[in-house]
């Protein structure tokens, strides 16, 4: 698993290279895609896929005992936060109801692979808590993780900047996303035992026995998650007879759907046709929003529990539906950068895919390079002079 600080730097350089460095499929990517095409199935109105295993990957350990210890610790933490425990329990119950996960009544704990999981709180009214499964977890330095055994697969998504630019081209704009998109892709039976995890029937009861669950769908958290989702959407749309299939494909970015048209008639057709088309892959769209009051007023009739907000997230940026403007979200600046780890963590919080803030943030990026030259450790104090430079450029 990538170190937290190194991950921040990695993401920072990736954002800087958007639209500059071309992506070329590697032989492994070609292999993963061919493997997908050979194994994907469609029945019962859903797509069934395999995990994209690496050829001759190392043996994946069962790791039950390590996961058991981590689960007991996580459960104790949750019981001290009843509001978090309630949300956690509700998510597990809902996923069980939707058949995204399943209980293993008679599990052989010496087979398969177990995944630790934990709660991550988010600034979202719709999903304030997310359960994150650590697919990079290893039971020892010489052991392997699930992510180690899987190919990432080729990137099949549209370019982020292309999607955002198209979102500003025409008069009428729309935005939606696929409900629980990754979990809508069914995982074939032979791979499910490698996605086992532990939970209890009643987490509030300290005597409730620990049970084994496993995923029956593609979980978000494995390194390959975006690939089978996008490959499945592509496969579904390629065989579609909808006159809007190209429009749908060109405006999808992972599980997000957004675009623009020139008339309210087209806007209504997009809304009706896309809902129907993606439902055929068991991938219903949700959280629709338009820069058109008439259609926004129509949505609650189709989705009674949903109220269109005045602003909506579009690919990490804020879309004000009233003024129809895209905003770059401001982030609180920590002026007291003390360590090497603090700096890239702060700089990477600014999401600016168009580079509109470069005149202000270029000095931040240059300072990251200067810090790198010092060769200090991640948690070592930065030289006082560089701390002073940060306080000046962060103004």
């Amino acid at each position: 698993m990538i170190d937290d600080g190194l991950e921040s730097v990695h993401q920072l350089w990736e954002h800087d290279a958007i639209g500059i460095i071309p992506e070329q499929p590697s032989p492994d990517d070609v292999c993963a895609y061919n493997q997908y095409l050979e194994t994907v199935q469609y029945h019962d109105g859903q797509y069934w896929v395999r995990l994209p295993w690496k050829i001759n990957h190392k043996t994946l350990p069962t790791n039950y005992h390590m996961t058991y210890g981590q689960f007991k610790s996580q459960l104790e933490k949750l019981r001290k936060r009843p509001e978090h425990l309630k949300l956690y329990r509700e998510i597990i119950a809902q996923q069980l109801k939707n058949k995204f996960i399943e209980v293993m009544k008679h599990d052989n704990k010496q087979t398969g692979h177990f995944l630790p999981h934990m709660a991550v709180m988010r600034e979202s009214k719709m999903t304030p808590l997310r359960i994150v499964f650590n697919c990079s977890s290893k039971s020892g330095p010489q052991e392997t993780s699930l992510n180690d055994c899987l190919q990432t697969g080729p990137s099949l998504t549209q370019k982020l900047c292309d999607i955002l630019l198209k979102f500003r081209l025409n008069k009428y704009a729309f935005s939606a996303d696929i409900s629980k998109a990754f979990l809508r892709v069914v995982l074939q039976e032979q791979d499910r035992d490698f996605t086992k995890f532990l939970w209890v029937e009643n987490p509030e009861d300290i005597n409730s026995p620990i049970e084994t669950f496993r995923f029956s769908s593609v979980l978000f958290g494995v390194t390959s998650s975006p690939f089978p989702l996008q490959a499945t959407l592509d496969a579904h749309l390629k065989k579609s007879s909808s006159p809007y299939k190209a429009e749908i494909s060109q405006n999808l970015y992972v599980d997000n759907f957004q675009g623009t048209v020139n008339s309210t008639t087209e806007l209504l057709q997009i809304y009706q046709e896309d809902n129907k088309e993606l439902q055929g892959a068991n991938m219903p769209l949700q959280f629709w929003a338009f820069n058109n009051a008439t259609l926004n007023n129509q949505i609650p009739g189709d989705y009674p529990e949903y109220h269109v907000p005045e602003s909506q997230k579009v690919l990490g940026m804020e879309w004000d539906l009233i003024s129809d403007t895209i905003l770059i979200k401001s982030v609180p600046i920590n002026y007291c950068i003390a360590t090497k780890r603090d700096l890239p963590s702060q700089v990477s919080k600014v999401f600016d895919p168009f580079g509109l803030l470069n005149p202000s943030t270029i000095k931040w990026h240059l300072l990251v390079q200067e810090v790198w030259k010092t060769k200090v450790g991640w948690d070592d104090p930065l030289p006082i002079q560089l701390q002073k430079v940060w306080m000046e450029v962060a103004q």
Side-chain angles (χ1 to χ4, degrees):
M1 189 173 182
I2 298 178
D3 175 283
D4 289 343
L6 191 57
E7 175 68 14
S8 295
V9 177
H10 179 70
Q11 291 176 352
L12 181 61
W13 299 151
E14 276 195 337
H15 289 162
D16 282 351
I18 288 175
I20 299 175
I21 300 176
E23 295 180 10
Q24 297 294 333
S26 67
D28 286 343
D29 290 342
V30 174
C31 176
Y33 192 64
N34 288 336
Q35 183 186 90
Y36 171 85
L37 294 176
E38 292 168 1
T39 57
V40 64
Q41 302 171 9
Y42 180 78
H43 52 86
D44 299 330
Q46 294 177 297
Y47 286 87
W48 300 58
V49 305
R50 294 287 311 274
L51 290 174
W53 298 102
K54 290 180 179 177
I55 297 173
N56 300 323
H57 64 79
K58 293 182 180 180
T59 301
L60 194 58
T62 303
N63 71 338
Y64 170 77
H65 294 292
M66 182 203 73
T67 308
Y68 176 85
Q70 292 184 359
F71 173 67
K72 292 287 286 185
S73 176
Q74 172 67 7
L75 192 56
E76 288 177 11
K77 291 179 182 178
L78 284 171
R79 283 171 175 158
K80 294 175 182 178
R81 305 286 298 270
E83 69 281 10
H84 291 181
L85 181 62
K86 180 176 180 292
L87 291 170
Y88 216 101
R89 185 179 185 179
E90 288 173 353
I91 292 172
I92 296 289
Q94 188 62 49
Q95 291 188 349
L96 196 58
K97 179 181 178 181
N98 290 335
K99 298 182 180 179
F100 298 150
I101 59 176
E102 55 194 15
V103 182
M104 302 183 69
K105 292 295 185 183
H106 306 288
D107 176 45
N108 180 356
K109 295 178 176 57
Q110 303 307 313
T111 63
H113 183 73
F114 287 82
L115 301 173
H117 52 92
M118 62 179 292
V120 173
M121 302 306 298
R122 308 172 68 225
E123 294 181 6
S124 169
K125 293 181 179 179
M126 304 301 295
T127 53
L129 182 145
R130 170 172 286 176
I131 300 177
V132 174
F133 290 82
N134 186 359
C135 301
S136 295
S137 174
K138 298 181 180 182
S139 32
Q142 303 304 316
E143 297 289 356
T144 189
S145 69
L146 178 59
N147 277 343
D148 290 335
C149 298
L150 298 178
Q151 300 184 77
T152 303
S155 174
L156 302 175
T157 57
Q158 304 288 322
K159 298 296 183 184
L160 178 63
C161 287
D162 290 351
I163 292 281
L164 284 170
L165 285 171
K166 284 191 291 183
F167 185 65
R168 299 284 80 196
L169 282 180
N170 300 311
K171 184 175 181 180
Y172 297 103
F174 58 86
S175 171
D177 65 58
I178 301 171
S179 171
K180 299 176 176 61
F182 295 94
L183 295 170
R184 300 284 178 179
V185 183
V186 183
L187 189 61
Q188 293 181 23
E189 177 70 30
Q190 57 264 56
D191 288 339
R192 294 183 183 182
D193 276 358
F194 299 100
T195 66
K196 296 195 289 189
F197 65 97
L198 301 176
W199 188 241
V200 288
E201 183 177 347
N202 181 6
E204 296 171 348
D205 180 4
I206 60 173
N207 295 315
S208 184
I210 293 177
E211 298 178 307
T212 298
F213 289 68
R214 68 178 185 177
F215 276 86
S216 51
S217 54
V218 173
L219 72 155
F220 182 74
V222 291
T223 186
S224 59
S225 293
F227 165 61
L229 171 62
Q230 190 62 51
T232 296
L233 287 167
D234 286 357
H236 180 71
L237 292 170
K238 281 178 181 176
K239 70 178 187 180
S240 168
S241 58
S242 169
Y244 287 91
K245 68 178 185 179
E247 178 80 17
I248 299 172
S249 179
Q250 292 167 7
N251 289 301
L252 276 170
Y253 186 86
V254 191
D255 58 343
N256 300 283
F257 180 60
Q258 56 283 302
T260 58
V261 294
N262 278 317
S263 71
T264 54
T265 301
E266 288 180 280
L267 203 61
L268 182 59
Q269 288 173 334
I270 285 285
Y271 175 61
Q272 294 173 338
E273 187 71 22
D274 294 1
N275 275 330
K276 180 178 70 175
E277 189 60 34
L278 291 182
Q279 187 65 58
N282 189 37
M283 295 190 185
L285 288 164
Q286 63 177 0
F287 303 147
W288 278 95
F290 307 89
N291 61 347
N292 176 273
T294 302
L295 269 179
N296 280 336
N297 291 333
Q298 177 181 322
I299 293 175
D302 298 329
Y303 304 92
E305 297 180 356
Y306 175 59
H307 299 284
V308 181
E310 292 186 356
S311 65
Q312 180 92 326
K313 282 286 184 64
V314 175
L315 299 179
M317 304 188 78
E318 199 77 21
W319 176 33
D320 188 315
L321 276 68
I322 307 302
S323 62
D324 192 21
T325 54
I326 294 291
L327 310 173
I328 297 176
K329 185 179 179 181
S330 62
V331 297
I333 296 177
N334 176 15
Y335 292 99
C336 299
I337 295 295
T339 68
K340 180 179 177 179
R341 188 186 302 276
D342 294 337
L343 183 59
S345 176
Q346 173 66 48
V347 174
S348 63
K349 288 179 181 178
V350 179
F351 182 65
D352 177 28
F354 292 125
L356 300 176
L357 300 181
N358 277 355
S360 299
T361 60
I362 185 65
K363 295 179 180 179
W364 298 13
H365 294 251
L366 292 174
L367 182 57
V368 171
Q369 292 182 347
E370 289 300 315
V371 169
W372 229 248
K373 294 176 184 178
T374 66
K375 300 186 184 300
V376 299
W378 282 110
D379 297 305
D380 293 338
L382 285 182
I384 297 298
Q385 183 57 37
L386 291 181
Q387 292 186 37
K388 290 180 178 179
V389 172
W390 168 250
M391 293 185 70
E392 292 174 3
V393 301
Q395 296 295 329

